[in-house]
């Protein structure tokens, strides 16, 4: 079904202002960008540069102050079935088992029980969770919980996947496994992915395209297309050259962040 839905994302002159008067703060300024169907895009930048604000505008959780977003060709006015969101904190129901968590959204949609069981079964297998189906979130590691959160969003089969630092709280080894699983799922499903991270290496490992953001106001500082073959090897000269290039860009913005903080302390 999702194959028929268009899954492009169009961001048109999006600005976002928080607060008023003395407290007025421009978080995003005039961001425009078109993400074609099936592209894997990473939004990269230091903390506080507006990555979550932009992702929330695409998700429809918090609309822009001006400008607009189209997802699958439709104006975003709130959350919608063509977009699924994975948060950094595993948004699981603690009183439900793994299988119940994954089934939940499908039950809400009124899908038939046999169909739900089949879909949950196949997703749990895909994410290496079959042996954990009867466990509760508190009995799982952080990596496992995030697998459940991903399975839960995948269950709804939205053609556009929005991910806000989904692996930020996960140890390096598990993180690489999850990145590889995400790439495999992306390869199989052809979803459009907008993935927020502040990790330069993660963005180069994953993305077709990296949007580097400036710090306050958030704008797109660099729009970089990657054509490294996959699976990517973090040890190659090409990978490291990109890492150096992106580090320089991100560091400039981090510096601006530090200076802004210094000014705030001195005021
Ligand atoms: P990032 O995800 O890149 O770390 P955010 O999008 O969370 O950045 O935040 C960008 C800026 O907007 C920050 O300065 C943050 O404090 C501010 N901000 C985010 N959400 C709100 C809000 N609801 N009210 C006021 N300020 C906010
Ligand atoms: Mg954020």
């Amino acid at each position: 079904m999702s194959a028929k839905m268009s899954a492009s994302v169009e961001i048109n002159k999006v600005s976002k202002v928080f607060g008023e008067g003395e407290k007025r703060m421009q978080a995003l300024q005039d961001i425009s960008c078109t993400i074609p169907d099936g592209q894997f895009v990473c939004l990269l930048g230091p903390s506080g540069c507006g990555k979550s604000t932009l992702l929330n505008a695409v998700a429809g959780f918090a609309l822009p102050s001006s400008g607009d977003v189209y997802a699958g060709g439709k104006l975003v006015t709130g959350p919608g079935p063509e977009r699924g969101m994975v948060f950094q904190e595993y948004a699981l129901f603690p009183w439900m088992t793994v299988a119940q968590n994954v089934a939940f959204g499908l039950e809400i949609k009124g899908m038939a029980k046999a169909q739900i069981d089949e879909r949950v079964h196949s997703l749990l297998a895909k994410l290496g969770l079959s042996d954990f189906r009867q466990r509760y979130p508190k009995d799982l590691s952080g990596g496992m919980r995030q697998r459940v959160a991903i399975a839960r969003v995948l269950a709804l089969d939205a053609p556009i996947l929005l991910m806000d630092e989904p692996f930020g709280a996960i140890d390096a080894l598990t993180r690489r496994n999850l990145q590889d699983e995400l790439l495999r799922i992306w390869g199989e499903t052809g979803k459009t992915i907008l993935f927020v991270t502040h990790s330069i290496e993660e963005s180069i490992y994953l993305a077709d395209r990296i949007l580097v953001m400036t710090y306050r106001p958030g704008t797109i500082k660099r729009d970089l297309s990657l054509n490294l073959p996959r699976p990517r090897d973090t040890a190659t000269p090409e990978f490291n050259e990109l890492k150096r290039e992106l580090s320089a860009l991100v560091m400039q913005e981090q510096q601006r962040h530090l200076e802004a903080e210094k000014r705030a302390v001195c005021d």
Side-chain angles (χ1 to χ4, degrees), residues 132-144:
F132 301 88
R133 54 178 297 119
Q134 300 302 346
R135 294 234 196 146
Y136 287 88
K138 69 173 170 49
D139 301 321
L140 300 173
S141 66
M144 280 303 195

Side-chain angles (χ1 to χ4, degrees), residues 7-11 31-44 183 186 192-197 199-200 202-212 220 222-228 230 232 242 246:
S8 61
V9 174
E10 208 177 309
I11 300 169
I31 294 191
S32 292
C33 157
T34 299
I35 300 171
D37 203 336
Q39 197 168 53
F40 196 136
V41 176
C42 277
L43 209 53
L44 176 70
L183 285 171
W186 173 65
T192 306
I193 301 184
L194 186 50
F195 184 108
V196 165
T197 181
S199 162
I200 292 164
E202 180 164 70
S203 70
I204 305 171
Y205 192 72
L206 293 175
D208 288 329
R209 176 178 177 196
I210 299 175
L211 302 174
V212 184
I220 294 173
R222 182 68 65 86
D223 183 343
L224 194 77
S225 291
L226 277 68
N227 38 28
L228 298 178
R230 292 187 176 91
R232 292 183 177 157
L242 274 169
L246 287 164

